[in-house]
Every structure is written in structure tokens, then in C-alpha cells.
Amino acid sequence: MLEINKIRENKESIISLLKVRNKDFSQLIQDALSQDELRRKSQFTLDQELSEMNQISKKIGELFKEGKQEEAIVLKNKTVLLKESTKKLKEQLLSSEIAIKEILCQIPNVPNAIVPAGNSEEQNEVIQTFGKEPNLFDGAVPHWELAKKYNLIDFELGVKITGAGFPVYTGKGAQLQRALINFFLNEAISNNYQEVIPPLLVNADSGYATGQLPDKEGQMYFMQEDQLYLIPTAEVPITNIFRDVILNENDFPVKRVGYTPCFRREAGSYGKDVRGLNRLHQFDKVEIVQISHPEKSYAILDEMVAHVKALLEKLGLPSRVLKLCGGDLGFTACLTYDFEVFSAAQDKWLEVSSVSNFETYQSNRLKLRFKSKNEKNQLVHTLNGSALALPRIMAALLENNQTEKGITIPEVLVPYTGFNIISNVE
RNA sequence: AGAGAGGUGGCCGAGUGGUUUAAGGCGCACGCUUGGAAAGCGUGUUAGCGCGAAAGUGUUACGAGGGUUCGAAUCCCUUCCUCUCUACCA
């Protein structure tokens, strides 16, 4: 959520930066500002009247003590009108506060000035490409066929147990999956991230604080009975560790990493892109989260991008980095870099990571601040990124590393898997 | 899940309707004292919002939300959480 004070101070530049999202938010912003004016007026009058009330009450107490009942009663009568008036003012104050919040929830984060214009993913800007595309032998097949051939993933079994989008990993498929998770966690730990294992269900407060609610309500699985949401990403519970927290300046940088399964309803996304591991309802992901001093957040974003890049390089996957354009930028982000790996057998790019700076958009809701030495407490910047999402990495690994003899395991993973090839020979 | 006891500042802890302007203690910061330190003494030490150029000042918050009252940490209702015992279980 944007800060109303900042909107008041930088109205014009906020409106113009938001234009890159291909939508005009000037009306909403104007509405928020008028509500804000109303709010401040109400509060000013209310505070004055409450102050008067407090004084009268104090006096009544004193009069009773001195036994001056009659004078006290006169004063009591005087409060009747005041009381009515404060009640109305309180309602007005509350309703403008609610109105402001409602409006602010509809306004996405202000894109960074370097976010390119564009209204679809085609206009995302490729900023670097690395890794070598493999030369596959004749007869190379997509990962869903490999999964079947080598008994790595059983999609039909998942359908029986749960439904589409809930695959069962078996044998070496399961072992490879676990190896990847451990590899990603260890790489993060060696970059000074602290590991956490958070809850997989969160309450509505947490959903609101990181911005999944109300924006993506329909995308999360919801448990009616206990009013809990299954997490769509570890970002939610990990970032919410810091809800209502005031950090000290020397706590920075805060770096957390967590592996969790992620659950997404993916309502409305059916068709060609959902084949195999490309889009699932349940998938594994290792997520990195940083909480940063406002002045350092863009340097930290670069650091996180470098971290993700190194993972893909170590796995030897042909990849590229995109800077998302305004039309593809998430609701809560200022700047996002996506990583895609090239899936040779499908001949397409698959998104495996998204690294974003949210500046104060989340911390405003989280009420996550830090004590700075001489100034007033101020909001921190939050950032997060996938490092990495498993299914498409698995897909790309299987497809790109297939040989006539079997699927070779990247060297860095061998200590984790305990085998260096998946073949049918055994 | 059933019964009971609780939830007060950074921490401990007093407070059952009116100087609570939240006692007292611990911790922390600064100052005095000292050759230096400790002790001692003094001062300060929550957050949000509003008004103000600033100094400052008003208001709100005692788990959360409602209610009673001129006035609520204190009384009433709802709800969340913690602890103890019982039950169940991994």
C-alpha cells in the first residue's frame, strides 16, 4: 500500500510514473487525497472536543470529591452535546480512514523510473543471456515423456490422489527434487541467508500485509473452517515474521531463505502451457527474502539477481534475465527481474524466478520500520526472489541433459543426489 | 476438546471506577562524582495520528473488538492468545 503522506507530497510524479502500467490512476489518487483532507479535518475537531471532554470529566471528579454534587450535575449535562458530537466525528474519521485504505488497496506500487513501457510480456526487456543451448540428439523428447520413461514423475497418480496439477515424484525423480532443494538452500546459506521453516498456512492479516489480499484472493486455497490460506509462496510467512517490528539500524541487512511447497489455484489458466511441470497447483520453491535500509535496496536487488544467476550458471542451464515492463509488473513491485531457462525439447523459455524490490509498499502494511539515529522511525524496503522454483528447473534439466544413454546430472548436484546419471539400465 | 488461571511499557511487576500525568524495580542512554572503574546521585528512556516553521502541543493505545459511565487498565459482552490439569495424539 502506498503511503498517503507520500502521495500528498509527490502527487504529480506518482501519477506520471504509474502511467507505465497502462492505466490512469489520477482519479483514485485524487479521491484518496480528498478523503485524507476530510480525515485530518475530522481528527482536528475531534481531538479538540475530546480534550474538552477530558477536562470536564476531571473537574467532575474533583467536584464529587469536594462534595459539590450540584455543580457536578451541571457539568454533566454539558457533556451530553459534546458526546453526541464526538460520536459523529469518530464515525466520520473512521469512515474516511476506511475509504482511504480501500482506495489505496486499488493503487499498485509506483514503478521505478527505469521500468520500460509495455502492455504485455512481449515488451519485457531482455537484459542478459547466458549459458549454452544444448544440441539435442534426434529423438529428444519433452520432460513429461522423460518423466514417464524413467519413472521420475507420475502425473496420473497425482490425479487419482488429488487432481490435476499435483504430481507424484517417485524414485530418482524424488531424489533429484530433494537434491535441488538442498543445493538451493545451501547456496543461500553460504551467502549469509538464515534458513527458516515457516508455517504453510497463514491468516488473513498476513495475506494483507504482503499484498496477496485482496488482490489475489481467488488464487489462494482457503480453509473456511479455520479461516486460513495455504501459502502461494514462502514470501508470505517469511516476510510476515517482521510484521509490527521495529528494527535497529544495525540489524541490516536481514536475509532469510526458506523452502516451502507453494499452493496456487491457478483459476482460469488452462491450455497449452499447463502440460507436465509447466504449471502446477502444488510446487516446491526456495525463496530468498531481504529487508533493507531504504538507501541500499537497489544494490541489494542487484545482489539477489547475481545470486540467482549464479545458481543457474552452476546448473549449466541456458538462461536469460528480463526486466519486466509496466504491463507485466506485479501489483506490489517497483522493479522486477524475471529469470527464464530455455527448455530445449519444448523450444521455449520457462520462468523460474522473479526477483523484486517492493520498496515500502509491503512494509507500510506490515508496519515494519527501523529506528534511525536522529530521525523518526521510518519504513524499510522489502525484497524477495525465487532461488529457485523447482518444477521448471526440473523440466529444463531433464530436457536439456537428456542423452541417448540417459539423463546426466550436473556436477554440482552429484554430491546431493549420489548418482550422476538417470538411465533405464539399472 | 473439557475445567481452571492469566494477558499491563524493552523486561519484571503494582494497580478492582476519578492527581494513572501507569507506582516500584531491572535494563538502556546521558550527566555529576572518580586517577580510572564500580557504587552512589541526577536526568531521560513506547508507538500511531493531528496541529505547528520550530520549540512544542492535542489525542489514541493496558491482547483485540464492542458496551455501560460525565469519567474505564479497573465493570459487562464477544473474540484471540498463553499457562496448568484432564482427554486425545505424532
Side-chain angles (χ1 to χ4, degrees), chain A residues 29 106 143 172 219 233 264 286 310 315 337 381 384 393 410:
Chain A
I29 284 185
Q106 298 171 53
H143 68 271
K172 285 196 167 148
Q219 291 299 329
T233 158
R264 298 186 183 178
V286 172
L315 291 174
Y337 293 103
H381 285 190
N384 65 51
I393 292 289

Side-chain angles (χ1 to χ4, degrees), chain A residues 153-382:
Chain A
I153 304 165
D154 194 329
F155 292 97
E156 287 79 21
L157 190 54
V159 171
K160 181 179 87 171
I161 299 172
T162 308
F166 293 90
V168 179
Y169 298 80
T170 56
K172 285 196 167 148
Q175 285 171 262
L176 177 56
Q177 177 89 345
R178 186 157 49 83
L180 282 164
I181 293 167
N182 280 330
F183 168 65
F184 293 149
L185 283 171
N186 283 351
E187 289 290 307
I189 290 165
S190 70
N191 273 330
N192 298 315
Y193 287 87
Q194 185 190 92
E195 184 179 355
V196 289
I197 302 179
L200 306 183
L201 288 105
V202 295
N203 57 32
D205 284 347
S206 295
Y208 275 103
T210 35
Q212 278 70 24
L213 291 173
D215 186 43
K216 292 185 183 150
E217 171 122 48
Q219 291 299 329
M220 288 192 284
Y221 288 97
F222 180 58
M223 183 150 305
Q224 183 68 40
E225 184 130 23
D226 297 296
Q227 302 279 301
L228 296 172
Y229 296 84
L230 270 106
I231 57 170
T233 158
E235 165 195 342
V236 181
I238 294 178
T239 311
N240 271 280
I241 290 172
F242 300 95
R243 173 148 50 88
D244 289 317
V245 167
I246 300 176
L247 295 166
N248 290 313
E249 209 159 348
N250 55 19
D251 290 332
F252 293 124
V254 176
K255 304 173 79 172
R256 293 295 126 97
V257 61
Y259 150 69
T260 68
C262 302
F263 304 90
R264 298 186 183 178
R265 295 188 59 231
E266 301 292 358
S269 51
Y270 298 100
K272 59 181 164 51
D273 289 341
V274 305
R275 193 95 195 259
L277 293 170
N278 289 354
R279 191 174 293 278
L280 301 170
H281 288 303
Q282 177 182 329
F283 65 94
D284 289 320
K285 180 157 66 65
V286 172
E287 182 82 2
I288 50 176
V289 171
Q290 288 213 43
I291 291 165
S292 125
H293 190 286
E295 283 162 23
K296 308 248 170 81
S297 65
Y298 281 95
I300 283 173
L301 183 65
D302 290 343
E303 176 203 313
M304 292 169 81
V305 166
H307 176 83
V308 174
K309 183 182 174 188
L311 294 178
L312 291 167
E313 282 176 328
K314 286 182 187 178
L315 291 174
L317 290 170
S319 312
R320 64 182 189 185
V321 187
L322 307 173
K323 184 159 73 188
L324 294 195
C325 71
D328 208 24
L329 188 65
F331 195 80
T332 54
C334 291
L335 182 59
T336 297
Y337 293 103
D338 269 11
F339 281 78
E340 295 181 339
V341 297
F342 187 69
S343 157
Q346 295 181 70
D347 191 27
K348 67 177 170 192
W349 292 93
L350 301 175
E351 182 193 334
V352 293
S353 176
S354 195
V355 187
S356 306
N357 188 351
F358 304 94
E359 295 194 10
T360 60
Y361 199 85
Q362 292 184 325
S363 61
N364 188 29
R365 291 257 195 103
L366 289 158
K367 298 201 191 79
L368 169 51
R369 291 154 290 171
F370 75 98
K371 249 181 220 310
S372 62
K373 284 199 182 79
N374 299 314
E375 293 164 75
K376 202 173 128 165
N377 296 342
Q378 53 176 310
L379 295 171
V380 304
H381 285 190
T382 61

